[in-house]
Amino acid sequence: MLRIILPPNLEAAAARDAVAVRLEWNPGDGPIDAALPALAVIERLAPGAEVPRFVQLTRAQLRALVEAATGQPFVFLASRPTEPLAWSESKLPGVTEHIAAPVVSDRTRGRSPLAGDSENLSPARGLPPQTQAGPSDSRAKSRSHVTDSAQPSQPPLVDGSEHFLAITLPSRNHHAYDELLELLKGQGFALETSNRRWWLRDRHRTLAFLGEHWTALKDWGAEFTENFNKNTARIGRAEILTEARATGDDFDVTLELRAGDADPADVYKQVSSGRSFVESRGRVYLVERSTRERLAGAQHALAGDPSRPLMHRSTHRVPRHRVAEVGDILESIGPNFRPPVEWATGAAALRNHSQLAMPQLAPELLTILRPYQRLGAAWLHHLHSQRLGGVLADEMGLGKTLQALAMLSTLAGTSLVVCPASLVENWRREAARFVPSMRVRVHHGSDRGDAADLGGVDLIVTSYGTLVRDRARFEGVEFACLIADEAQHVKNRRTQNAAALRGIRARSRLMLTGTPVENSLDDLQSIFEIALPGAIKPIPSDARGDERKWHEAHVRRQTAPFILRRTKAQVAPELPPKIEQVVHCEAGPEQRAFYERVRASTEGEIEKLEFAGGKEAQVRLAVLTQLLRLRQVCCDPALLPGGDEVGSAKMDAFLELLDEAVDDGHRMLVFSQFTSLLRLVRAELESRGLQFASIDGSMSPRERQREVDRFQASAEIPVFLISLKAGGTGLNLTGADTVVHFDPWWNPALEAQATDRAHRIGQTRTVNVYKLIVAGTVEEKVLALQEEKARLLADVFDESDAANARLSLTELRDLTRNA
């Protein structure tokens, strides 16, 4: 596979027309055909038997390379070396806008992106090598190009020495004519009309000009005479040298501008005075502008201060959590960085996830995990082993809980999971299902016990609210690992949730969220105050304009190695076309008590009917009525008299799913058999200011279709509310990629038909299906019945059609007893 890795400072590098690009080519990894166009461009840019590891490209050269890779997952940012940048048609957002061709004038029209500015490049060693071609060089001739008028474009010609320069402008149809003319005028060159050369006769100014603009001349395709090459043979270039030394758990990184054997004091004096060259022992060393800019940028990044003055030599203390980020910075200023073993061990796996070591997982768990989930578990384990923290921010539906449990199953000691109350039961069940050997304690509800009593416990699961109430108990315990699920709950650092999490002591601190937290800098900083305490310095409150933008980019660059986010599009080959998940909701004390009152009342009515000798059909109808009321309590007690003030665990879980889906750009179908419940959901959507579409059984076919067309045509409508009678069949809703069944359907075949309103021909995205179930209720029994009595599923009844039921009255009664 081909990997084109762009530097973190792409925008600034493109602005100065000098982008350091890292290339990786492994012909045995994937089909070669897709890479051939890009490989052909690389061969033209850097001829040789092998693909070079580093090249420095102009905007036009990089544009040609990127265009040759159109549609292919070949382009990466160094800050995220495992996530190929996503194409938007023929453009690469975040890249194309920085390397786009300038507006074409009559003078430049017809120019090929690889002609004129495709100077033959050798693998980069800090800077491109000095041009050796003279005017008669065949390679120089090949750089000529033809415009629309079929007139050859002559490149600039440079003659002179370290004492003077004589530059002949290119032909007027050359792409750099105007820019070079303005440059020469601004630098004090004088035109000699007899030979049409622009002259600069002053040694100091000549050397200063070469230090500032020699690279630009080469990028414009200038040709240098043999006389110039001979006269400037003793001119060298200053280089940036880097060194890292382990110092305890940290590293000392030294950056130094080295000009041959020149005295460092002389280098410092010249650089601090702004001069573009250094003289030492009969030799001249150019301190080129691009070199100064790269050094200054690296010093600013390592120091976290964009106003720091340029130093010819500086040493920076780099804590272990910054090695991946700083490694990218040092490689971007030159390929001569050779980190110590300790550095490479900590950074390599974060920069290249293929180097992650897989933890020792149970064989049965390995068979369950998909490849991307194995990588996620390995990534989490690596962070833990390095005493670091991070954010697993996979898109919703990709199994973050499973990946976290897989990692936790490998740890010694007791770990802590903190999640919304609606997910506590889900964590317990997922642990029992996937890692049954783990000893799990739920610390939630009225009977919580002592949080500090960890005897025989591998994992404690609690809610954010319980953690806040029992904060003093938890702060006295040191956990192996802290997992904060739905981390958007602590995106505001001033909340009690965030404060309680910051007070937890743990070897590693890992956050899970399906929301792209990097979209909000405040959210990102708050979350990383918990994940990596003290690692990310706050942005100065008085920072404004460009200074604030620099600090914001600095924060994102620092946090990038510790965020792992995969989308369904990226892992689609490993995903089934439809992912179904049961979300178990734990009812609160008030809802549980209300449920028991309704169950006891309806049970008494049935027993009276049976005692009075009622017919089986009458008893059956009474049982179905009881089931209906219990299911309504599960959905929301407000559906029954006296339940208005009782909370709903299922509604809370649904709103969690809703907020995450909307934040992540998903669109959702919400199915329920109760139109009264959909009215409650409608009220929640209106309170959030969300648009929605809605259909129920009272609508005419024309009204139904109008709502469908409105939803399909507008991505601004994130939710479609659909009742059972209206939405089971006949709808095409491929605009949605998320389906929520608020209440379980008695007939799974009808439930599947409803899901297929979104999961059908024309759907291009993975569809996530969520079934909301209240734990310890009749809903769980129905779910178990579906699994245990598969032979009955084709004809299982719903509450509106008792006559078609194939379940016996005894089986119906079993559903409500002890539930």
Side-chain angles (χ1 to χ4, degrees):
M1 179 178 174
L2 175 66
R3 290 161 51 84
I4 303 167
I5 303 175
L6 306 180
N9 63 339
L10 173 63
E11 182 177 1
R16 62 176 178 264
D17 215 23
V19 183
V21 177
R22 188 162 82 242
L23 301 173
E24 295 179 3
W25 169 235
N26 182 1
D29 182 13
I32 191 174
D33 292 350
L36 288 177
L39 290 172
V41 173
I42 293 172
E43 171 62 22
R44 295 179 66 180
L45 294 174
E50 298 181 355
V51 173
R53 180 168 174 77
F54 286 92
V55 292
Q56 184 166 285
L57 304 179
T58 65
R59 284 192 302 274
Q61 291 168 339
L62 180 56
R63 182 168 64 251
L65 179 56
V66 169
E67 289 173 353
T70 298
Q72 301 296 332
F74 295 159
V75 185
F76 301 75
L77 288 178
S79 56
R80 293 194 173 184
T82 62
E83 300 179 18
L85 297 178
W87 289 92
S88 176
E89 297 180 349
S90 62
K91 294 184 178 181
L92 206 55
V95 175
T96 301
E97 59 266 35
H98 301 315
I99 62 174
V103 177
V104 179
S105 65
D106 291 340
R107 179 173 287 123
T108 61
R109 187 174 285 110
R111 177 174 175 267
S112 165
L114 286 180
D117 60 356
S118 293
E119 180 68 28
N120 203 39
L121 296 181
S122 300
R125 293 293 181 269
L127 293 174
Q130 181 174 315
T131 301
Q132 298 298 321
S136 61
D137 193 307
S138 60
R139 290 186 297 133
K141 292 180 180 178
S142 70
R143 287 194 300 268
S144 297
H145 58 279
V146 179
T147 65
D148 292 342
S149 60
Q151 293 296 321
S153 175
Q154 298 298 324
L157 181 63
V158 181
D159 192 11
S161 68
E162 65 183 69
H163 297 276
F164 76 94
L165 287 173
I167 299 178
T168 303
L169 286 176
S171 53
R172 289 183 178 271
N173 58 5
H174 190 278
H175 69 283
Y177 179 88
D178 290 336
E179 193 170 358
L180 181 55
L181 177 59
E182 289 299 316
L183 175 64
L184 297 183
K185 289 180 178 179
Q187 293 294 316
F189 282 73
L191 175 63
E192 186 173 318
T193 56
S194 62
N195 55 22
R196 305 302 300 171
R197 287 186 174 187
W198 290 79
W199 291 81
L200 184 65
R201 296 181 174 90
D202 180 275
R203 183 174 183 274
H204 177 86
R205 294 171 67 186
T206 293
L207 292 175
F209 180 86
L210 290 175
E212 293 291 315
H213 305 292
W214 195 340
T215 300
L217 289 172
K218 295 174 63 176
D219 289 340
W220 287 331
E223 294 182 349
F224 299 83
T225 66
E226 293 181 3
N227 181 63
F228 176 87
N229 290 330
K230 182 177 67 174
N231 291 335
T232 58
R234 75 187 194 98
I235 296 179
R237 287 172 171 75
E239 295 180 304
I240 303 172
L241 300 183
T242 58
E243 181 184 9
R245 300 180 305 279
T247 307
D249 288 338
D250 299 329
F251 299 89
D252 282 340
V253 173
T254 299
L255 305 179
E256 181 178 3
L257 187 65
R258 184 76 58 81
D261 58 357
D263 189 323
D266 290 339
V267 177
Y268 169 73
K269 180 179 178 180
Q270 301 304 323
V271 170
S272 60
S273 66
R275 294 183 66 180
S276 303
F277 62 94
V278 175
E279 294 188 77
S280 176
R281 302 179 184 179
R283 292 205 62 183
V284 175
Y285 298 92
L286 300 181
V287 185
E288 297 186 285
R289 177 193 298 175
S290 60
T291 303
R292 299 197 306 273
E293 289 175 347
R294 293 201 308 275
L295 179 60
Q299 290 179 349
H300 294 164
L302 267 62
D305 181 4
S307 63
R308 180 188 178 108
L310 176 65
M311 302 289 291
H312 84 288
R313 191 177 192 276
S314 60
T315 299
H316 310 263
R317 178 60 55 90
V318 175
R320 189 170 296 274
H321 68 264
R322 292 193 67 189
V323 293
E325 168 222 351
V326 172
D328 287 332
I329 294 171
L330 299 182
E331 286 195 2
S332 72
I333 65 175
N336 61 358
F337 176 56
R338 296 293 181 266
V341 174
E342 301 92 335
W343 179 296
T345 301
L350 289 177
R351 301 174 66 198
N352 185 354
H353 292 163
S354 65
Q355 298 186 27
L356 285 167
M358 181 60 61
Q360 293 296 318
L361 299 175
E364 56 271 20
L365 187 56
L366 275 174
T367 62
I368 296 172
L369 293 172
R370 298 181 176 277
Y372 77 88
Q373 292 173 328
R374 294 179 189 177
L375 187 147
W379 185 77
L380 293 171
H381 188 271
H382 175 78
L383 291 178
H384 173 80
S385 67
Q386 297 292 313
R387 302 185 71 92
L388 297 171
V391 182
L392 179 60
D394 283 347
E395 197 173 17
M396 59 186 298
L398 294 184
K400 294 184 288 294
T401 301
L402 175 56
Q403 294 173 68
L405 284 170
M407 186 277 295
L408 291 173
S409 70
T410 68
L411 304 185
T414 303
S415 297
L416 174 67
V417 167
V418 185
C419 62
S422 58
L423 295 181
V424 168
E425 175 64 12
N426 204 62
W427 269 91
R428 185 189 69 78
R429 290 171 180 271
E430 294 287 276
R433 176 184 177 189
F434 294 115
V435 286
S437 63
M438 288 189 71
R439 297 161 296 181
V440 179
R441 178 198 295 168
V442 172
H443 185 86
H444 186 59
S446 57
D447 185 17
R448 299 198 292 273
D450 187 359
D453 181 11
L454 305 181
V457 179
D458 298 313
L459 179 63
I460 293 179
V461 181
T462 192
S463 68
Y464 286 104
T466 301
L467 177 66
V468 170
R469 288 190 294 273
D470 293 352
R471 180 173 175 179
R473 299 188 193 180
F474 282 99
E475 287 181 348
V477 181
E478 183 166 359
F479 294 97
C481 179
L482 166 66
I483 299 280
D485 193 13
E486 302 296 343
Q488 62 271 22
H489 282 261
V490 293
K491 64 185 181 181
N492 184 345
R493 68 176 313 277
R494 291 178 290 276
T495 62
Q496 289 184 319
N497 287 348
L501 277 184
R502 287 195 296 269
I504 296 296
R505 291 188 296 151
R507 175 186 174 91
S508 61
R509 308 158 73 84
L510 306 169
M511 322 292 280
L512 310 181
T513 179
T515 301
V517 293
E518 64 269 26
N519 289 353
S520 167
L521 199 65
D522 290 338
D523 296 358
L524 192 67
Q525 289 185 288
S526 178
I527 287 173
F528 269 91
E529 282 185 14
I530 299 167
L532 284 171
I536 310 301
K537 294 181 180 179
I539 296 176
S541 57
D542 59 348
R544 298 290 186 273
D546 289 343
E547 182 184 359
R548 182 167 186 85
K549 289 180 180 178
W550 185 94
H551 280 290
E552 290 175 349
H554 183 61
V555 169
R556 290 193 170 94
R557 187 167 57 244
Q558 284 187 289
T559 56
F562 303 101
I563 300 175
L564 179 60
R565 177 167 178 79
R566 280 83 56 90
T567 65
K568 296 185 185 74
Q570 291 170 329
V571 296
E574 303 165 4
L575 286 174
K578 178 170 64 178
I579 303 174
E580 297 188 355
Q581 179 178 345
V582 176
V583 178
H584 295 275
C585 311
E586 187 69 25
E590 292 184 352
Q591 186 177 5
R592 177 66 64 182
F594 191 83
Y595 179 93
E596 285 301 318
R597 289 198 297 273
V598 172
R599 191 192 66 79
S601 174
T602 55
E603 187 68 17
E605 294 173 6
I606 295 171
E607 289 176 351
K608 286 181 181 179
L609 185 60
E610 290 176 328
F611 184 79
K615 296 180 180 180
E616 181 174 329
Q618 292 176 306
V619 176
R620 179 184 291 271
L621 183 59
V623 173
L624 289 171
T625 301
Q626 179 189 37
L627 290 173
L628 171 63
R629 292 176 182 173
L630 292 178
R631 292 174 57 216
Q632 287 176 317
V633 176
C634 291
C635 289
D636 197 313
L639 298 179
L640 292 179
D644 290 345
E645 300 301 319
V646 180
S648 168
K650 189 178 288 191
M651 184 66 78
D652 291 341
F654 166 73
L655 294 176
E656 291 277 353
L657 286 172
L658 173 67
D659 290 341
E660 185 174 347
V662 171
D663 286 346
D664 225 0
H666 296 286
R667 304 179 69 204
M668 176 185 289
L669 308 183
V670 181
F671 289 96
S672 176
Q673 297 173 61
F674 305 114
T675 55
S676 54
L677 173 66
L678 293 178
R679 285 195 290 272
L680 297 179
V681 175
R682 179 195 297 254
E684 292 289 347
L685 296 175
E686 290 173 342
S687 70
R688 283 166 160 73
L690 295 176
Q691 297 186 57
F692 59 91
S694 178
I695 60 174
D696 58 40
S698 66
M699 288 183 169
S700 68
R702 179 174 297 178
E703 291 172 324
R704 282 162 41 103
Q705 191 59 50
R706 185 162 54 243
E707 284 292 275
V708 169
D709 292 343
R710 189 168 72 90
F711 179 82
Q712 288 287 93
S714 175
E716 301 302 315
I717 304 175
V719 182
F720 201 135
L721 305 178
I722 308 172
S723 69
L724 166 65
K725 292 182 179 179
T729 59
L731 300 178
N732 187 338
L733 295 168
T734 54
D737 61 357
T738 303
V739 177
V740 175
H741 294 291
F742 209 105
D743 43 282
W745 295 38
W746 298 112
N747 189 331
L750 291 179
E751 186 179 56
Q753 286 180 359
T755 296
D756 286 343
R757 299 313 98 213
H759 185 250
R760 60 191 296 126
I761 299 298
Q763 177 60 265
T764 59
R765 294 162 292 177
T766 298
V767 175
N768 280 275
V769 184
Y770 298 91
K771 302 178 183 180
L772 306 184
I773 300 293
V774 176
T777 68
V778 64
E779 289 188 332
E780 278 201 328
K781 288 203 168 187
V782 171
L783 193 65
L785 182 70
Q786 290 179 341
E787 296 173 351
E788 295 168 5
K789 298 182 177 291
R791 60 184 175 83
L792 298 174
L793 295 189
D795 241 342
V796 169
F797 63 94
D798 64 51
E799 77 284 355
S800 64
D801 193 3
N804 290 331
R806 293 255 184 116
L807 294 177
S808 68
L809 181 58
T810 300
E811 289 173 316
L812 287 175
R813 296 289 280 124
D814 286 343
L815 287 174
T816 60
R817 290 193 175 103
N818 301 318

